[in-house]
Amino acid sequence: CNNVEVVIDTISSNDGDHGLAVALVLGTQYGIASGSSIYFADVESRSNMLCLENLIDAGCDVVNMSFGYLNSFDQVKIDASLEGYIDYMHNSTGVIMVAACGNGLRYKSQEGKIPLPAAAANVIAVGSHDGLYLSQFSSCNILDDVYSKPELIAHGEGRDINAYGAATGTSFSAPAVTGTIALLLEGSSV
């Protein structure tokens, strides 16, 4: 993936190993898209997701977002400004955006709701499977229409990450999809 740059855009201040583990799934020597350039942006260090624009300006073709803002989402009302910003960035740049759909089925208070950015219309939301079935923690919003999320599921339960150990969650499913997209883009000489 020498010509495809991939962004890891995740929260680091609460768990410094989270971003590293996501990067290990996506790229580095042992990841899916091992030849990719990986950029990191801490979304907690800037207002909302304004860092997304800077990363796209850096020339990224694919963005991985392994975080979520559940407090800005409920089943009836979505924070229109944040979702609108995400969709605008996709529509105006053509950058492919992939996001973890969350682990909300673990927590009664979250009721399996899909958080932003995964809830945005132009973001590929990725859930987790255990090898055969949707993971019991993986958030899902099945509406039997075009707004159903997640669009894809990938291995994210007990995922073996070289030199890191095992990790579980949709944060580790999303970079598997992002890395696969990076490989497809490389093959098409985008």
Side-chain angles (χ1 to χ4, degrees), residues 70 75 104-114 139-140:
L70 190 61
Q75 294 299 98
L105 287 182
R106 280 188 186 162
Y107 310 104
K108 186 176 181 180
S109 64
Q110 294 180 11
E111 299 173 342
K113 295 174 184 172
I114 307 265
S139 294
C140 57

Side-chain angles (χ1 to χ4, degrees), residues 36-83:
S36 295
S37 298
I38 298 178
Y39 294 84
F40 175 83
D42 184 352
V43 294
E44 287 190 335
S45 66
R46 299 196 183 220
S47 175
N48 283 328
M49 293 181 53
L50 296 178
C51 60
L52 181 59
E53 189 171 339
N54 293 334
L55 296 168
I56 291 172
D57 287 345
C60 299
D61 298 309
V62 183
V63 175
N64 182 83
M65 297 175 279
S66 289
F67 66 92
Y69 292 118
L70 190 61
N71 59 353
S72 64
F73 174 83
D74 64 36
Q75 294 299 98
V76 177
K77 179 181 175 189
I78 296 175
D79 180 351
S81 63
L82 182 55
E83 182 179 21

Side-chain angles (χ1 to χ4, degrees), residues 16-26 161 164 167 172 175:
D17 289 342
H18 184 265
L20 171 62
V22 169
L24 288 170
V25 172
L26 192 144
I161 301 173
Y164 181 82
F172 309 107

Side-chain angles (χ1 to χ4, degrees), residues 7 10 15 19 39 73-74 86-87 97 115-116 124 132 157 173:
V7 177
T10 187
D15 181 3
Y39 294 84
F73 174 83
D74 64 36
I86 294 167
D87 287 337
M97 298 186 195
L116 286 170
I124 300 169
L132 294 174
E157 191 166 335
S173 301

